[in-house]
Amino acid sequence: MALNPHAEDFDDFYRRTAQSVVHLIYATTGDLTVAQDCTQEAYARAWSRWSSVGRYEQPLSWVRTVARRLATSAWRHDHSGVRAMRLAQASVAHAPAPSEDRVAILTALAQLSPVHRETIALHYLADLSIEQIALETGRPIGTVKAHLHRGRGQLAELLRSTPDITSEPTKKVPS
Amino acid sequence: MTRAPDITPWSLEDDELIRHSLQRLGQDIDPFEMPEPEHIRQAGQQRRRGRLMALVGGLAAAAAVITFVVMQGPHRTAAPPANSTSASTPIPSSSAAGRRLLPTPTPTATPPAPAGCPLASLISQESLSLNIEGLYTDEVGAANAAQQLWDALARCDAKAVVALAQRDQTSVGAKNQGWDSQLATSAGLPIMEGMLRTLSARPGRWLPPKAETDTITWPRVNAESQDPTAWDEAIAAGIITAADRDRMQSQTGYIGWRLAITAQGRWEAVFNTGD
């Protein structure tokens, strides 16, 4: 049976972009499982209204925003929403433990405020400009500028003071 | 995508350090294989079916309400409840003028419960029923969602309750963590009973009112309310005792069961710690 052309369109979009959303949410929350769950849920929601989302100029922006909100909600409610998602989904894979250098990066990120972390991730991982971040988060441009300035200053200092980060990643933390 | 010019003095080395570090996190993701798109579409399809069902249910309920209102004539235009000085009564606003109250549902509307469902016996023994007193016709979504939840509780159908919570991404309070896995066990019965009793109390609104939408809450007593009637309603519903009331009034305000549904029908939250 031939695949629905919308489905092909969606599948292609999902394959091209899903990993970048997981990456973004992972950097924002420091929890890979939450990132995977929220990303899957965001894409499922996108498919449920693909007739309109698929026509957006930036469907990725829509998915990213939904995933970010789900992640925020999951953390705010002590993962209850994500737990509900896990119950609803047949399979949730468990990622291997991060290597030491990446643990150090996550530790540094964890010391930033959530809003700084989110702004940094949107700027460096989603490659968004200040104006685009302002649009996507609904914050004033001046606020985004301040968050980016303070966040990256703090993060650079934390990263510079962590020796693991300057070396090449090799060792894995035992899981 | 184009990058806007940076507005602060910035070391390129620092910039590169951050970019490189964040990119490294991607190595944790690479080994993980994302689910196939078919799996995602299947989950999305289920979500869409849920929305359609809710829409059809909402339209049917709206049609029934419109028919009822037309048959009743204009004399049922909403008026503020007698205790309108209470902070938890319907929010007076210009848009409230001319709004019509929803009719009270008949208790017989609840589907029959399976044998051995203690909540069905409770409903019968205490003559409990869903309370939507004071809701307006433009809040039929909330009434409809409350009825769905009530029906599931009255059947002791834990699976249906969890499905509703998953559909609406319902927030739960600290004491309810893990409730979704407990509901189907004997430990879940007090939770379902708490929700059932809560829905039998007269609803009110969040305070302060949310800007984007009204959220209906059961019971209407809240931390700000000093209205004795609202407190009595919570006692009558069996969700607090008179001793609880006295303690809460003197120390904390209301910190008992609370269930919130948006006017559009999304089950927003269920708490039993006064969140």
Side-chain angles (χ1 to χ4, degrees), chain B residues 102-128:
Chain B
L102 281 170
T104 306
T106 53
T108 51
T110 302
C117 170
L119 297 183
S121 313
L122 182 77
I123 289 171
S124 152
Q125 281 162 13
E126 298 193 18
S127 302
L128 297 176

mmCIF file of all heavy atoms in Angstrom, chain B residues 102-128:
data_model
loop_
_atom_site.group_PDB
_atom_site.id
_atom_site.type_symbol
_atom_site.label_atom_id
_atom_site.label_comp_id
_atom_site.label_asym_id
_atom_site.label_seq_id
_atom_site.Cartn_x
_atom_site.Cartn_y
_atom_site.Cartn_z
ATOM 1 N N LEU B 102 -25.547 26.572 32.919
ATOM 2 C CA LEU B 102 -25.758 25.222 32.407
ATOM 3 C C LEU B 102 -26.828 24.532 33.253
ATOM 4 O O LEU B 102 -26.895 24.754 34.460
ATOM 5 C CB LEU B 102 -24.467 24.414 32.519
ATOM 6 C CG LEU B 102 -23.408 24.647 31.462
ATOM 7 C CD1 LEU B 102 -22.121 23.955 31.862
ATOM 8 C CD2 LEU B 102 -23.880 24.138 30.113
ATOM 9 N N PRO B 103 -27.609 23.679 32.622
ATOM 10 C CA PRO B 103 -28.567 22.910 33.425
ATOM 11 C C PRO B 103 -27.832 21.868 34.249
ATOM 12 O O PRO B 103 -26.754 21.416 33.874
ATOM 13 C CB PRO B 103 -29.449 22.241 32.372
ATOM 14 C CG PRO B 103 -28.605 22.185 31.143
ATOM 15 C CD PRO B 103 -27.685 23.371 31.203
ATOM 16 N N THR B 104 -28.404 21.480 35.352
ATOM 17 C CA THR B 104 -27.804 20.437 36.193
ATOM 18 C C THR B 104 -27.998 19.080 35.528
ATOM 19 O O THR B 104 -29.112 18.764 35.105
ATOM 20 C CB THR B 104 -28.486 20.429 37.575
ATOM 21 O OG1 THR B 104 -28.406 21.750 38.097
ATOM 22 C CG2 THR B 104 -27.799 19.465 38.526
ATOM 23 N N PRO B 105 -26.942 18.275 35.420
ATOM 24 C CA PRO B 105 -27.118 16.970 34.769
ATOM 25 C C PRO B 105 -27.929 16.025 35.658
ATOM 26 O O PRO B 105 -27.912 16.149 36.879
ATOM 27 C CB PRO B 105 -25.686 16.454 34.616
ATOM 28 C CG PRO B 105 -24.905 17.161 35.668
ATOM 29 C CD PRO B 105 -25.588 18.476 35.892
ATOM 30 N N THR B 106 -28.604 15.114 35.026
ATOM 31 C CA THR B 106 -29.381 14.148 35.822
ATOM 32 C C THR B 106 -28.447 13.061 36.322
ATOM 33 O O THR B 106 -27.603 12.558 35.569
ATOM 34 C CB THR B 106 -30.473 13.500 34.944
ATOM 35 O OG1 THR B 106 -29.836 12.979 33.781
ATOM 36 C CG2 THR B 106 -31.520 14.495 34.546
ATOM 37 N N PRO B 107 -28.580 12.660 37.572
ATOM 38 C CA PRO B 107 -27.696 11.635 38.122
ATOM 39 C C PRO B 107 -27.765 10.315 37.368
ATOM 40 O O PRO B 107 -26.829 9.548 37.369
ATOM 41 C CB PRO B 107 -28.194 11.463 39.559
ATOM 42 C CG PRO B 107 -28.969 12.694 39.855
ATOM 43 C CD PRO B 107 -29.526 13.168 38.557
ATOM 44 N N THR B 108 -28.870 10.053 36.707
ATOM 45 C CA THR B 108 -29.016 8.780 36.004
ATOM 46 C C THR B 108 -28.131 8.725 34.757
ATOM 47 O O THR B 108 -28.038 7.693 34.123
ATOM 48 C CB THR B 108 -30.470 8.573 35.572
ATOM 49 O OG1 THR B 108 -30.886 9.748 34.886
ATOM 50 C CG2 THR B 108 -31.370 8.303 36.758
ATOM 51 N N ALA B 109 -27.497 9.835 34.394
ATOM 52 C CA ALA B 109 -26.672 9.853 33.183
ATOM 53 C C ALA B 109 -25.424 8.976 33.319
ATOM 54 O O ALA B 109 -24.819 8.586 32.334
ATOM 55 C CB ALA B 109 -26.252 11.278 32.853
ATOM 56 N N THR B 110 -25.019 8.670 34.554
ATOM 57 C CA THR B 110 -23.818 7.871 34.757
ATOM 58 C C THR B 110 -24.053 6.426 34.324
ATOM 59 O O THR B 110 -25.030 5.812 34.743
ATOM 60 C CB THR B 110 -23.413 7.895 36.248
ATOM 61 O OG1 THR B 110 -23.219 9.247 36.614
ATOM 62 C CG2 THR B 110 -22.142 7.113 36.485
ATOM 63 N N PRO B 111 -23.168 5.860 33.471
ATOM 64 C CA PRO B 111 -23.349 4.484 33.010
ATOM 65 C C PRO B 111 -23.269 3.496 34.172
ATOM 66 O O PRO B 111 -22.663 3.799 35.194
ATOM 67 C CB PRO B 111 -22.183 4.270 32.050
ATOM 68 C CG PRO B 111 -21.634 5.620 31.767
ATOM 69 C CD PRO B 111 -21.977 6.478 32.923
ATOM 70 N N PRO B 112 -23.857 2.335 34.006
ATOM 71 C CA PRO B 112 -23.837 1.350 35.094
ATOM 72 C C PRO B 112 -22.419 0.909 35.415
ATOM 73 O O PRO B 112 -21.588 0.769 34.520
ATOM 74 C CB PRO B 112 -24.659 0.179 34.541
ATOM 75 C CG PRO B 112 -24.732 0.392 33.066
ATOM 76 C CD PRO B 112 -24.580 1.846 32.829
ATOM 77 N N ALA B 113 -22.155 0.681 36.695
ATOM 78 C CA ALA B 113 -20.818 0.285 37.137
ATOM 79 C C ALA B 113 -20.728 -1.236 37.190
ATOM 80 O O ALA B 113 -21.731 -1.906 37.389
ATOM 81 C CB ALA B 113 -20.554 0.860 38.516
ATOM 82 N N PRO B 114 -19.531 -1.781 37.014
ATOM 83 C CA PRO B 114 -19.385 -3.226 37.140
ATOM 84 C C PRO B 114 -19.616 -3.647 38.587
ATOM 85 O O PRO B 114 -19.419 -2.856 39.508
ATOM 86 C CB PRO B 114 -17.933 -3.464 36.718
ATOM 87 C CG PRO B 114 -17.246 -2.156 36.901
ATOM 88 C CD PRO B 114 -18.278 -1.096 36.709
ATOM 89 N N ALA B 115 -20.001 -4.910 38.742
ATOM 90 C CA ALA B 115 -20.231 -5.428 40.100
ATOM 91 C C ALA B 115 -18.936 -5.342 40.894
ATOM 92 O O ALA B 115 -17.855 -5.548 40.355
ATOM 93 C CB ALA B 115 -20.705 -6.876 40.012
ATOM 94 N N GLY B 116 -19.060 -4.999 42.170
ATOM 95 C CA GLY B 116 -17.873 -4.938 43.028
ATOM 96 C C GLY B 116 -17.159 -3.614 42.961
ATOM 97 O O GLY B 116 -16.056 -3.494 43.492
ATOM 98 N N CYS B 117 -17.756 -2.599 42.329
ATOM 99 C CA CYS B 117 -17.126 -1.274 42.289
ATOM 100 C C CYS B 117 -17.604 -0.499 43.521
ATOM 101 O O CYS B 117 -18.764 -0.095 43.592
ATOM 102 C CB CYS B 117 -17.503 -0.540 41.004
ATOM 103 S SG CYS B 117 -17.013 1.196 41.009
ATOM 104 N N PRO B 118 -16.717 -0.291 44.505
ATOM 105 C CA PRO B 118 -17.176 0.353 45.750
ATOM 106 C C PRO B 118 -17.610 1.801 45.541
ATOM 107 O O PRO B 118 -18.422 2.311 46.315
ATOM 108 C CB PRO B 118 -15.948 0.277 46.668
ATOM 109 C CG PRO B 118 -14.811 -0.184 45.849
ATOM 110 C CD PRO B 118 -15.310 -0.660 44.535
ATOM 111 N N LEU B 119 -17.088 2.443 44.501
ATOM 112 C CA LEU B 119 -17.461 3.850 44.288
ATOM 113 C C LEU B 119 -18.907 3.964 43.812
ATOM 114 O O LEU B 119 -19.589 4.938 44.117
ATOM 115 C CB LEU B 119 -16.504 4.511 43.301
ATOM 116 C CG LEU B 119 -15.049 4.595 43.768
ATOM 117 C CD1 LEU B 119 -14.194 5.338 42.757
ATOM 118 C CD2 LEU B 119 -14.941 5.275 45.128
ATOM 119 N N ALA B 120 -19.361 2.958 43.079
ATOM 120 C CA ALA B 120 -20.766 2.966 42.644
ATOM 121 C C ALA B 120 -21.673 2.865 43.874
ATOM 122 O O ALA B 120 -22.688 3.558 43.966
ATOM 123 C CB ALA B 120 -21.012 1.805 41.691
ATOM 124 N N SER B 121 -21.263 2.004 44.816
ATOM 125 C CA SER B 121 -22.053 1.870 46.054
ATOM 126 C C SER B 121 -22.043 3.178 46.829
ATOM 127 O O SER B 121 -23.062 3.597 47.387
ATOM 128 C CB SER B 121 -21.463 0.774 46.944
ATOM 129 O OG SER B 121 -21.201 -0.369 46.192
ATOM 130 N N LEU B 122 -20.870 3.819 46.864
ATOM 131 C CA LEU B 122 -20.731 5.090 47.584
ATOM 132 C C LEU B 122 -21.681 6.137 47.014
ATOM 133 O O LEU B 122 -22.359 6.860 47.754
ATOM 134 C CB LEU B 122 -19.276 5.567 47.471
ATOM 135 C CG LEU B 122 -18.941 6.846 48.203
ATOM 136 C CD1 LEU B 122 -18.802 6.582 49.691
ATOM 137 C CD2 LEU B 122 -17.638 7.443 47.665
ATOM 138 N N ILE B 123 -21.720 6.215 45.686
ATOM 139 C CA ILE B 123 -22.594 7.193 45.012
ATOM 140 C C ILE B 123 -24.044 6.943 45.414
ATOM 141 O O ILE B 123 -24.787 7.874 45.730
ATOM 142 C CB ILE B 123 -22.426 7.082 43.481
ATOM 143 C CG1 ILE B 123 -21.051 7.624 43.076
ATOM 144 C CG2 ILE B 123 -23.526 7.831 42.739
ATOM 145 C CD1 ILE B 123 -20.684 7.370 41.640
ATOM 146 N N SER B 124 -24.395 5.671 45.404
ATOM 147 C CA SER B 124 -25.774 5.327 45.725
ATOM 148 C C SER B 124 -26.089 5.600 47.203
ATOM 149 O O SER B 124 -27.122 6.190 47.529
ATOM 150 C CB SER B 124 -25.965 3.864 45.324
ATOM 151 O OG SER B 124 -26.917 3.272 46.079
ATOM 152 N N GLN B 125 -25.156 5.206 48.086
ATOM 153 C CA GLN B 125 -25.410 5.381 49.531
ATOM 154 C C GLN B 125 -25.492 6.855 49.926
ATOM 155 O O GLN B 125 -26.306 7.253 50.737
ATOM 156 C CB GLN B 125 -24.292 4.723 50.331
ATOM 157 C CG GLN B 125 -24.429 3.213 50.451
ATOM 158 C CD GLN B 125 -23.119 2.562 50.862
ATOM 159 O OE1 GLN B 125 -22.176 3.250 51.284
ATOM 160 N NE2 GLN B 125 -23.042 1.252 50.715
ATOM 161 N N GLU B 126 -24.606 7.663 49.350
ATOM 162 C CA GLU B 126 -24.534 9.068 49.781
ATOM 163 C C GLU B 126 -25.215 10.024 48.797
ATOM 164 O O GLU B 126 -25.111 11.243 48.935
ATOM 165 C CB GLU B 126 -23.068 9.471 49.980
ATOM 166 C CG GLU B 126 -22.378 8.659 51.055
ATOM 167 C CD GLU B 126 -21.047 9.252 51.487
ATOM 168 O OE1 GLU B 126 -20.797 10.452 51.225
ATOM 169 O OE2 GLU B 126 -20.247 8.512 52.074
ATOM 170 N N SER B 127 -25.860 9.447 47.779
ATOM 171 C CA SER B 127 -26.533 10.252 46.744
ATOM 172 C C SER B 127 -25.599 11.311 46.170
ATOM 173 O O SER B 127 -25.981 12.487 46.025
ATOM 174 C CB SER B 127 -27.785 10.926 47.300
ATOM 175 O OG SER B 127 -28.657 9.966 47.811
ATOM 176 N N LEU B 128 -24.385 10.910 45.861
ATOM 177 C CA LEU B 128 -23.427 11.855 45.274
ATOM 178 C C LEU B 128 -23.747 12.057 43.795
ATOM 179 O O LEU B 128 -24.197 11.133 43.125
ATOM 180 C CB LEU B 128 -21.993 11.329 45.411
ATOM 181 C CG LEU B 128 -21.435 11.131 46.819
ATOM 182 C CD1 LEU B 128 -20.050 10.508 46.762
ATOM 183 C CD2 LEU B 128 -21.381 12.464 47.556
#
